[in-house]
Amino acid sequence: MALELGKEYRLYVGATPATLGGENTLTVDRSSQENDASSKDDAVYAFSDFGLQKLTITVAGKVKLPDTALEEIVDAQKNATNEVTINIKKSATTKFTCSMAVGNLSVAYPHDGPATYSFTLVPVAAPTVDDLVA
């Protein structure tokens, strides 16, 4: 079994996917709402199941211009629809594709060191490709 390296997974932005420059971290977080399924019949045990899944992708990196992918992220954050098409690829293999909303955009320009960016993505529809660990 081969070890997966994070640097092999890259974020692409847009209908004609462009690689996001300067990417350092790409985190895909899935959480589920826990539902209480217990009743008075269950004695001292609380039973649960999981409901809707919440998917959040966070990205951070260093600004490297020109960058059409970062420009599309910034433009999406500024407009009312704030949606972009996101692909996560390992080499030429697409592992994840989804229309996502952009939020929590931050760009920092420190006195010493490179300018950095970070943002959060959440789905506006179900992913059309969702196979990150295949």
Side-chain angles (χ1 to χ4, degrees):
M1 185 178 299
L3 180 68
E4 292 292 304
L5 299 176
K7 68 181 182 179
E8 296 174 346
Y9 289 77
R10 295 296 307 267
L11 187 80
Y12 293 77
V13 180
T16 306
T19 308
L20 181 64
E23 179 187 320
N24 279 349
T25 59
L26 171 63
T27 304
V28 179
D29 182 41
R30 295 175 191 266
S31 60
S32 300
Q33 179 180 351
E34 187 175 343
N35 298 323
D36 183 0
S38 56
S39 70
K40 292 178 182 179
D41 299 327
D42 299 325
V44 297
Y45 294 100
F47 298 110
S48 300
D49 63 5
F50 287 105
L52 296 175
Q53 183 180 127
K54 182 174 182 180
L55 173 67
T56 305
I57 296 176
T58 53
V59 183
K62 294 176 176 66
V63 177
K64 290 186 173 184
L65 299 178
D67 186 343
T68 57
L70 183 58
E71 186 175 344
E72 191 160 345
I73 291 291
V74 171
D75 288 346
Q77 173 70 49
K78 290 189 299 187
N79 71 40
T81 59
N82 81 339
E83 293 179 21
V84 292
T85 300
I86 296 298
N87 290 282
I88 297 174
K89 296 183 180 186
K90 179 184 176 192
S91 300
T93 305
T94 300
K95 299 286 200 167
F96 181 86
T97 302
C98 189
S99 181
M100 304 191 87
V102 180
N104 304 323
L105 175 66
S106 175
V107 181
Y109 302 97
H111 175 73
D112 293 324
T116 60
Y117 62 81
S118 64
F119 56 89
T120 304
L121 302 164
V122 293
V124 297
T128 55
V129 176
D130 191 359
D131 212 5
L132 288 168
V133 295

